[in-house]
């Protein structure tokens, strides 16, 4: 007696071997993407959970495509089921969104049994990503700083003295925010600045603290590459 292990939908028939091959290939390709992400990640917001999710997502999309096939009724039912899911974790980098779409595309290719396309796309796109990382494409080699100065809210206007220090210590600066903190007892000024050659951040901090009545002064270097 022969047992029929085939699944039939509107797109045709696929066997258990097809299912295993789709899921295994989605796993392998997503694993490559995850390793490339880990190898090329530069900022401090690295998340092990996010990388593992990339692998899970690739396999999950492949499974969804196998289930849906060309059946429109199943597709709408799936959309309705997924609409109840709420994602509350914000993506910290736009680059991370690209990796999500990449594993989704790979999963779709595996789930629709375009195996060659999945492999070629994985190799080519990952190679492009690594090449951009290796040769530092589109980097802006201008290091800027964020300067934050806290001053008492009551009393003299400290901005002219802060401006004098920034004029003498930076090539350019710009006030980007003024914020009341500690229940209104202090005001925090935030500037973007480009320090002059030879000026060290700790020297600028000491000058600022000399005029802000000993309150906190902070210089964040390379803020474009750091999560704030």
């Amino acid at each position: 007696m022969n047992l029929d292990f085939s699944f039939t939908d509107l797109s045709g028939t696929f066997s258990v071997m097809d299912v295993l091959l789709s899921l295994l290939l989605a796993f392998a390709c997503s694993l490559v993407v995850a390793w490339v992400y880990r190898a090329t990640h530069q900022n401090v917001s690295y998340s092990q959970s996010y990388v593992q999710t990339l692998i899970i997502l690739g396999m999950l999309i492949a499974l969804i495509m196998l289930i849906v096939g060309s059946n429109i009724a199943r597709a709408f039912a799936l959309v309705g089921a997924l609409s109840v899911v709420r994602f509350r974790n914000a993506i910290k980098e736009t680059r991370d969104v690209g990796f999500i779409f990449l594993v989704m595309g790979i999963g779709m290719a595996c789930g629709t049994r375009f195996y060659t396309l999945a492999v070629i796309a994985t190799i080519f796109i990952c190679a492009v990503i690594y090449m951009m990382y290796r040769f530092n494409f589109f980097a802006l080699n201008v290091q800027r700083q964020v300067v934050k100065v806290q001053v008492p809210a009551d009393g003299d206007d400290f901005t002219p003295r802060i401006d004098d220090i920034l004029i003498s210590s930076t090539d350019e600066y710009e006030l980007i925010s003024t914020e009341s903190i500690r229940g209104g007892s202090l005001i925090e000024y935030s500037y973007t600045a480009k320090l002059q050659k030879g000026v060290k951040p700790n020297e600028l901090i000491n000058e600022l603290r000399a005029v802000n009545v000993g309150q906190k002064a902070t210089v964040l270097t390379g803020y474009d590459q750091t999560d704030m």
Side-chain angles (χ1 to χ4, degrees), residues 146-153 159 162 175-182 184-191 212 215-218 220 228:
V146 171
V147 180
K148 295 184 177 182
V149 188
Q150 296 178 1
V151 299
T159 53
I162 296 174
L175 178 66
I176 56 175
S177 72
T178 302
E179 181 180 0
S180 177
I181 60 175
R182 294 188 184 178
S185 61
L186 295 176
I187 295 177
E188 182 177 80
Y189 297 103
S190 297
Y191 301 83
N212 73 341
Q215 298 297 331
K216 184 178 179 181
T218 307
L220 301 177
M228 296 179 59

Side-chain angles (χ1 to χ4, degrees), residues 124-194:
F124 181 78
I125 296 176
C126 286
V128 170
I129 293 171
Y130 186 80
M131 183 174 61
M132 289 193 294
Y133 162 77
R134 179 67 179 81
F135 296 101
N136 203 24
F137 285 2
F138 312 112
L140 182 62
N141 296 320
V142 177
Q143 190 179 63
R144 298 180 64 85
Q145 288 77 24
V146 171
V147 180
K148 295 184 177 182
V149 188
Q150 296 178 1
V151 299
D154 300 328
D156 299 335
D157 183 8
F158 290 87
T159 53
R161 281 174 279 179
I162 296 174
D163 288 340
D164 290 339
I165 294 173
L166 293 177
I167 289 172
S168 63
S169 302
T170 66
D171 291 328
E172 57 182 70
Y173 73 94
E174 180 181 1
L175 178 66
I176 56 175
S177 72
T178 302
E179 181 180 0
S180 177
I181 60 175
R182 294 188 184 178
S185 61
L186 295 176
I187 295 177
E188 182 177 80
Y189 297 103
S190 297
Y191 301 83
T192 61
K194 179 182 177 184

